[in-house]
Structures are given as C-alpha cells and as structure tokens.
Amino acid sequence: DAGITQSPRHKVTETGTPVTLRCHQTENHRYMYWYRQDPGHGLRLIHYSYGVKDTDKGEVSDGYSVSRSKTEDFLLTLESATSSQTSVYFCAISEPTSGSGWDTQYFGPGTRLTVL
Amino acid sequence: KNEVEQSPQNLTAQEGEFITINCSYSVGISALHWLQQHPGGGIVSLFMLSSGKKKHGRLIATINIQEKHSSLHITASHPRDSAVYICAVRGGSEKLVFGKGTKLTVNP
C-alpha cells in the first residue's frame, strides 16, 4: 500500500470555525489531490498540486484553500466551516508515468468531517 | 461537461455468479479508471485503460472507445468482492471525473 496518511481521521466542528486537514505521503509522488465524497455524488475534486507550491482549483474549490510547502504534505483549509462542507475528504497521490499526472491514483484512508 | 453514468446502482449476487458493472461516458477520453471502495471506506485503484481489455485475477475490464462504454467483470464472485465499484474518466481537462459508483453485495 502507498504510504499516505490523513489527519485527523474524524473531526466535529462548529460553523464558522477554521479547519485544517493534513495529507502526508512517504512515496515522493509529485501530484497530490483533495477530493470530497458525498451521498448521491461521485468523488469531486477540490484542489490539486503538481509540485511544491504549485496548486490549482478543482470543480468544488469555493470555501477551500490549500498549501504545499514540501513534497510530502498537502494541507486543506476550510477558512470558515459551513454545514455544506460536512463530508468525507480523501487525499490522493500519483506520479506521472504516461506523461500525465492523472494516472493511477493512490488514496488515503479519508477524514470524516462534521460541521454542526 | 463530461458525465459518467454507471449501471446498475446496486447489484446483489450469489457467490460464484459472474458479475458485470457498466460505465458510460459522454465525451472523448484519454483513459478510464476502475476503483474499488471497501465497506470500511478505503479506495483502491483496480485498472487504468485506454483501449481493449485488462485482466487481474478474477477481474476483467474492457473498454469500447467508439461506443464510449466500459465494463468491469468479476468471475466466480465471492463475498469479499462486496464493495462499491467506481468508474472515472480522464477527459480533455486531464482531471478525473467520477461516476457515483455501483454497490455490489455478494451473498454466500
């Protein structure tokens, strides 16, 4: 299994509070991703990174920011959490093999976030 | 916008049965992925394919680019195959677009 950890694994917070989720990898993969998974939806991309300090938005980026100051860590921040951000968050990593970073992705165990 | 549709949404089978899960998409793609999400939530990549067929153990994935359709087959199904199977496609934007998944339950 790829070495990917997420912390915390579970979090309950209140509306309006800031929340930071951490993804840590030991594989030295260049690409890292944050997805959210909600009932009735497929996995949806929030933000991704294609290198240290290189990030871009996904389809559901509003209300989220990210940072990647070193290869192994990718942080997802909810500046002011809302109930609509209650979800399961997955981090994933990949290393380009066919010229694309969107090759096989390895997923972390997920973080269940509840915003009350 | 690329849509990914999976069918069926839910599938119940008896141990030993041959299983087929389908994935259809609406635009041209460069690759298609099949993933498995375990009952505990963990997600594992099974296949990435852009043409033809791939096989790994009892799992077979096929893709027909002209018909914009892929199938995932499981031969001699087993209760441990119970999971959600997710199709994802890589289109022009290069980003992955995911289907909603097919929940498979295999009864002993």
Side-chain angles (χ1 to χ4, degrees), chain A residues 34-91:
Chain A
W34 278 108
Y35 293 98
R36 60 179 290 174
Q37 186 177 44
D38 304 290
H41 294 274
L43 286 158
R44 292 181 290 175
L45 181 67
I46 304 171
H47 283 279
Y48 69 100
S49 169
Y50 47 96
V52 174
K53 292 190 167 63
D54 292 323
T55 65
D56 204 352
K57 295 179 180 180
E59 64 177 300
V60 290
S61 60
D62 287 349
Y64 302 94
S65 62
V66 289
S67 66
R68 191 168 178 202
S69 59
K70 43 187 178 176
T71 300
E72 56 266 36
D73 288 326
F74 192 33
L75 303 180
L76 177 71
T77 298
L78 292 65
E79 301 289 348
S80 177
T82 68
S83 58
S84 65
Q85 293 175 312
T86 293
S87 187
V88 179
Y89 291 85
F90 285 95
C91 173

Side-chain angles (χ1 to χ4, degrees), chain A residues 96-110:
Chain A
T97 53
S98 63
S100 170
W102 302 87
D103 287 341
T104 298
Q105 297 187 10
Y106 302 93
F107 286 79

Side-chain angles (χ1 to χ4, degrees), chain A residues 9 35 37 40-45 48 56-59 90 97-109, chain B residues 1 9 30-31 33 35 37 40-48 84 86 90 93-101:
Chain A
R9 294 292 313 279
Y35 293 98
Q37 186 177 44
H41 294 274
L43 286 158
R44 292 181 290 175
L45 181 67
Y48 69 100
D56 204 352
K57 295 179 180 180
E59 64 177 300
F90 285 95
T97 53
S98 63
S100 170
W102 302 87
D103 287 341
T104 298
Q105 297 187 10
Y106 302 93
F107 286 79
Chain B
K1 183 180 176 183
Q9 282 187 293
S30 55
H33 298 248
L35 307 99
Q37 186 166 24
I43 300 172
V44 175
S45 290
L46 299 175
F47 296 103
M48 182 181 71
V84 175
I86 301 169
R90 190 174 87 209
S93 73
E94 288 290 293
K95 299 179 180 66
L96 292 184
V97 177
F98 293 80
K100 296 177 183 178

Side-chain angles (χ1 to χ4, degrees), chain B residues 4-7 21-25 32-34 67-72 86-89 99:
Chain B
V4 179
E5 297 292 332
Q6 291 187 232
S7 63
I21 298 170
N22 298 298
C23 176
S24 298
Y25 50 92
L32 182 142
H33 298 248
W34 281 102
E67 294 187 3
K68 295 185 171 62
H69 181 268
S70 176
S71 294
L72 177 68
I86 301 169
C87 172
V89 300

